[in-house]
């Protein structure tokens, strides 16, 4: 067929590498432990589940402004609800922000091993992705600032970063912001902020409140366990919130998601339980895996980046196959430029124990 006589996507669309989620299946295995997508092993708040079960009137459109959810978020963090925009996961908000502020000829910056969605969002908006090198798998503020040009419109900072699990202190975030021209938008992606237990870390609410060019995005997919509902939020200066509200879908957040989100963010006991579980098992997994002779990047999230040697029988790809044969699904991170590593989500007590035992057998040369 003549390609010229059928609809063609605009230039650049077909050059985008589609996002590939972490796998969730393994052939021939009875029980699967999915540790590839940083989902919480505790599941959602029982109160969130009850909110969904008792939700009715599916025939009616939801509140297009997600008013009660924005008010619940505002109450939780001491924010102005008018500065909050809710979305179908923080992924949608990242795309909306990029579409609002980036166009052909513009540049967007993210770090070397930053979240894959940043590149996709910039390319989808017709912009040019610019990659800033990291230092020891950590964000390098000076490297980002060196990449800024007259064409730079947006800088994405995942803090903590996925898939490395590393973070930069709030002083460094402020230094990055101070070094950016005022017309450049700094997007702080704080998807894993709730898990961080470091005195020098802040998600960035203060910086958003006192700046005209800083936005922070958050998600209900991680610690709140609502990944299947697709729910996220952002807080921004009023002029940015206004721009995003003009281009987002009129009913982009469903009623059940709104109800579950309100219940989830108010269930402080469930959140505390999730934090306690993660703190215990993140440290345990790090210690046990390092004891096997594998390098683990220090993480403040709910996942670990585990590095494997480049020797036959011990590579990351072979480890992934071995673990999959035992029903343990980890995340290959070759697309992030890390072909010799696997990302491991902190799972249940059972899953964590099985992963360490399987890695011990893998490194010891035992068959699956």
């Amino acid at each position: 067929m003549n390609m010229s006589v059928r609809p063609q996507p605009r230039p650049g669309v077909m050059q985008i590498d589609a996002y590939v989620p972490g796998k969730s299946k393994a052939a021939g295995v009875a029980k699967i432990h999915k540790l590839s997508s940083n989902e919480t092993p505790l599941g959602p708040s029982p109160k969130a589940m009850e909110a969904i079960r008792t939700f009715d009137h599916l025939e009616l459109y939801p509140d297009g402004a997600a008013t009660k959810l924005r008010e619940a978020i505002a109450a939780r963090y001491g924010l102005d609800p008018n500065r909050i925009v809710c979305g179908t996961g923080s992924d949608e908000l990242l795309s909306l922000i990029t579409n609002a502020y980036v166009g052909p000829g513009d540049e967007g910056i993210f770090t070397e091993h930053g979240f894959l969605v940043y590149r996709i969002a910039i390319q989808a908006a017709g912009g040019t992705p610019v990659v800033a090198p990291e230092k020891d798998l950590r964000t390098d503020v000076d490297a980002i600032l060196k990449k800024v040009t007259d064409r730079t419109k947006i800088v994405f900072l995942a803090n903590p970063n996925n898939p490395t699990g590393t973070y930069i202190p709030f002083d460094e975030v402020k230094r990055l912001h101070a070094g950016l021209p005022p017309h450049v938008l700094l997007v702080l992606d704080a998807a894993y902020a709730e898990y961080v237990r470091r005195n020098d870390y802040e998600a960035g609410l203060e910086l958003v409140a006192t700046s005209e060019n800083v936005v922070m995005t958050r998600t209900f997919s991680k610690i709140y366990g609502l990944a299947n509902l697709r729910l996220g939020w952002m807080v921004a200066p009023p002029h940015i919130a206004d721009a995003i509200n003009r281009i987002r879908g009129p009913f982009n957040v469903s009623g059940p998601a709104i109800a579950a989100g309100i219940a989830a963010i108010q269930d402080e006991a469930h959140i505390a339980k999730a934090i306690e579980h993660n703190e215990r098992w993140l440290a345990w997994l790090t210690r046990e895996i390092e004891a096997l002779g594998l390098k683990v990047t220090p993480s403040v999230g709910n996942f670990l980046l585990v590095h494997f040697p480049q020797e036959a029988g011990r590579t990351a790809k072979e480890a992934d196959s071995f673990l999959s044969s035992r029903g343990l699904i980890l995340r290959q991170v070759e697309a992030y430029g890390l072909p010799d590593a696997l990302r491991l989500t902190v799972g249940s007590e059972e899953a964590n124990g099985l992963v360490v035992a399987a890695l011990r057998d893998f490194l010891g040369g035992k068959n699956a």
Side-chain angles (χ1 to χ4, degrees), residues 13 81-82 90-91 111 120 158 182 186 212 233 236 256 258 291 296 305 307 333 366:
V13 170
N82 293 318
S90 55
D91 292 345
T111 67
I120 293 170
L186 175 60
E212 290 290 299
W233 60 279
I258 290 170
V296 178
L305 192 64
H307 302 266
V333 283
K366 294 184 181 180

Side-chain angles (χ1 to χ4, degrees), residues 23 60 186 258 268 338 348:
K23 63 182 181 179
L60 302 178
L186 175 60
I258 290 170
E268 294 186 12
L338 296 162
S348 64

Side-chain angles (χ1 to χ4, degrees), residues 295-336:
K295 182 186 173 187
V296 178
T297 298
S299 173
V300 295
N302 68 331
F303 56 91
L304 290 168
L305 192 64
V306 183
H307 302 266
F308 293 82
Q310 293 179 326
E311 57 183 83
R314 293 189 162 215
T315 65
K317 195 161 279 191
E318 288 166 305
D320 184 54
S321 296
F322 184 91
L323 292 163
S324 294
S325 72
R326 293 195 175 186
L328 301 165
I329 311 299
L330 276 63
R331 179 73 145 106
Q332 290 192 37
V333 283
E334 195 165 356
Y336 286 95

Side-chain angles (χ1 to χ4, degrees), residues 70 80-86 93 96-97 100-101 185 208 211-212 214-216 234-248:
R70 288 189 297 109
D80 176 357
N82 293 318
R83 287 177 164 231
I84 297 170
V85 182
C86 296
L93 296 169
L96 287 170
I97 293 164
Y101 290 93
L185 179 59
V208 176
S211 308
E212 290 290 299
V214 183
V215 173
M216 185 186 67
M234 60 175 272
V235 58
H239 67 95
I240 294 177
D242 179 42
I244 302 308
N245 279 321
R246 289 168 186 267
I247 63 171
R248 69 174 175 82

